[in-house]
Amino acid sequence: MKGVSFNLSTRIEFGNGYVDRAGELVKEQGAQKVMIVTDEGIRRAGITERVEASLKKAKISYVIFDQIMPNPRDIHCVEAGNIAIAEQVDFVLAVGG
């Protein structure tokens, strides 16, 4: 496996309007390609659609990983990580609880 380096700085935004500002907030961090990490329920509820619209407005490309479940197992994290590497993601945006 090729070596991977990453920084685990965490920023949490919570409150009215943040979903619709996701693109601008991610752009402020210098992101060029985002992986939206969520679960199927959040996606079905339409919340990721608003995040996607915001990313598109900010001209940020993205990929969605919606297979997260409560207390994810290591195999789910490895799967998401492999997709992030393959897609050359430089920012992970978690959407949901």
Side-chain angles (χ1 to χ4, degrees):
M1 178 175 156
K2 183 175 142 184
V4 177
S5 176
F6 59 94
N7 183 349
L8 291 177
S9 62
T10 301
R11 178 175 170 178
I12 299 172
E13 300 286 351
F14 180 81
N16 293 333
Y18 280 108
V19 169
D20 298 313
R21 293 185 53 218
E24 93 183 55
L25 294 169
V26 165
K27 194 169 201 165
E28 287 174 6
Q29 300 299 310
Q32 295 182 11
K33 187 160 186 184
V34 171
M35 174 182 267
I36 299 172
V37 178
T38 192
D39 64 47
E40 291 176 340
I42 294 291
R43 195 164 185 194
R44 278 194 307 268
I47 295 171
T48 58
E49 289 176 9
R50 291 171 52 198
V51 172
E52 291 175 68
S54 181
L55 291 171
K56 288 175 187 174
K57 182 178 178 183
K59 296 182 173 54
I60 303 285
S61 61
Y62 63 90
V63 61
I64 299 176
F65 182 77
D66 66 358
Q67 298 303 304
I68 290 298
M69 55 190 56
N71 301 314
R73 297 190 56 210
D74 59 345
I75 58 172
H76 304 114
C77 298
V78 169
E79 182 182 359
N82 287 337
I83 293 169
I85 291 167
E87 292 285 337
Q88 299 181 351
V89 167
D90 62 3
F91 195 95
V92 175
L93 177 61
V95 178

